[in-house]
Amino acid sequence: GEDVEQSLFLSVREGDSSVINCTYTDSSSTYLYWYKQEPGAGLQLLTYIFSNMDMKQDQRLTVLLNKKDKHLSLRIADTQTGDSAIYFCAESPYSSASKIIFGSGTRLSIRP
Amino acid sequence: GAVVSQHPSWVICKSGTSVKIECRSLDFQATTMFWYRQFPKQSLMLMATSNEGSKATYEQGVEKDKFLINHASLTLSTLTVTSAHPEDSSFYICSAEREHFPGSYNEQFFGPGTRLTVL
């Protein structure tokens, strides 16, 4: 079956890098995503990576994909207070590219 | 970017009543929309896929008679929670899929969510 797992909490100091990790079980995933959810709000797509890529960088965000280990990570450089949110890892299975399976979300908190 | 709205943003209702939630794609047409449910401090669970002009496809364990979905136009899908009970209290989020071009990646844009509280 399809399952996406990630740790529930992460606390980092302002200005440091944040690394949020995720593992998934579906080896046929087509796309893998990182979404951000701020309190009481919907989801914002931060970035996505196609399954044949190893890395994608977009300004302060770096996504690393290890297909062999089915491991996805999101690195946020120079973490700011505005980065406080819940970050969801998600994947689309090959069998249904429109369907998105979400992880449980990692709550990122920033220390001054 | 594309905008998806939901109405209402929050609703409180009495047990046994029905509640309708609207999901609109404001600046693009969406053949496909999705309805998710999110419990406090938990992930989003896909409830159903809403297809314009046809019946919705429900995920396993989701009662189609309880959660009625109507996708009457390319910009509007509605979710009606019938005979609501306290256990239906949740955060309901919709998304609308925008096709860039045939065969390409279709991005989902999410609404801000509707918080339903059933007393």
Side-chain angles (χ1 to χ4, degrees):
Chain A
E2 305 137 353
D3 193 21
V4 180
E5 293 190 359
Q6 49 186 130
S7 54
L8 293 179
F9 301 100
L10 177 65
S11 176
V12 299
R13 190 173 299 175
E14 187 175 3
D16 288 352
S17 291
S18 305
V19 178
I20 304 172
N21 294 300
C22 168
T23 57
Y24 59 96
T25 57
D26 188 352
S27 58
S28 68
S29 297
T30 50
Y31 292 98
L32 295 120
Y33 313 85
W34 284 103
Y35 285 88
K36 177 182 181 182
Q37 184 181 35
E38 298 188 64
L43 272 72
Q44 172 196 356
L45 177 65
L46 284 179
T47 186
Y48 68 93
I49 188 169
F50 191 53
S51 57
N52 68 353
M53 298 169 64
D54 298 323
M55 187 184 88
K56 183 177 181 180
Q57 188 156 1
D58 183 4
Q59 299 183 338
R60 292 193 297 125
L61 305 178
T62 303
V63 178
L64 295 178
L65 174 60
N66 182 326
K67 281 196 71 175
K68 175 175 171 289
D69 295 337
K70 297 177 189 170
H71 182 268
L72 184 75
S73 69
L74 172 70
R75 179 177 180 270
I76 305 172
D78 186 24
T79 309
Q80 302 297 310
T81 54
D83 295 324
S84 293
I86 300 175
Y87 291 81
F88 289 95
C89 171
E91 59 101 6
S92 288
Y94 177 79
S95 57
S96 178
S98 290
K99 186 174 175 180
I100 299 180
I101 310 297
F102 287 87
S104 54
T106 298
R107 184 178 295 272
L108 175 64
S109 61
I110 315 302
R111 308 191 301 272
Chain B
V3 179
V4 175
S5 70
Q6 279 184 242
H7 178 80
S9 55
W10 60 269
V11 57
I12 301 173
C13 69
K14 291 182 179 180
S15 188
T17 59
S18 294
V19 175
K20 180 186 284 187
I21 303 170
E22 293 184 347
C23 177
R24 293 182 185 273
S25 55
L26 298 185
D27 50 3
F28 67 99
Q29 294 184 329
T31 308
T32 305
M33 292 184 174
F34 302 86
W35 286 97
Y36 296 83
R37 183 173 179 176
Q38 185 181 29
F39 291 102
K41 299 182 180 179
Q42 294 189 28
S43 185
L44 280 75
M45 287 180 45
L46 179 64
M47 298 173 66
T49 302
S50 170
N51 302 295
E52 188 268 336
S54 64
K55 291 183 180 179
T57 304
Y58 289 82
E59 294 298 302
Q60 192 172 8
V62 178
E63 299 176 60
K64 61 180 180 181
D65 294 331
K66 172 116 182 118
F67 299 99
L68 300 178
I69 291 172
N70 187 329
H71 195 153
S73 78
L74 287 172
T75 58
L76 173 64
S77 174
T78 61
L79 169 68
T80 301
V81 183
T82 62
S83 186
H85 288 95
E87 57 265 30
D88 298 324
S89 297
S90 191
F91 195 52
Y92 292 88
I93 299 177
C94 74
S95 70
E97 186 176 72
R98 185 176 73 175
E99 184 180 86
H100 287 265
F101 50 85
S104 76
Y105 164 67
N106 296 339
E107 185 173 353
Q108 285 189 34
F109 294 90
F110 286 80
T114 296
R115 185 163 301 283
L116 170 64
T117 303
V118 185
L119 303 177

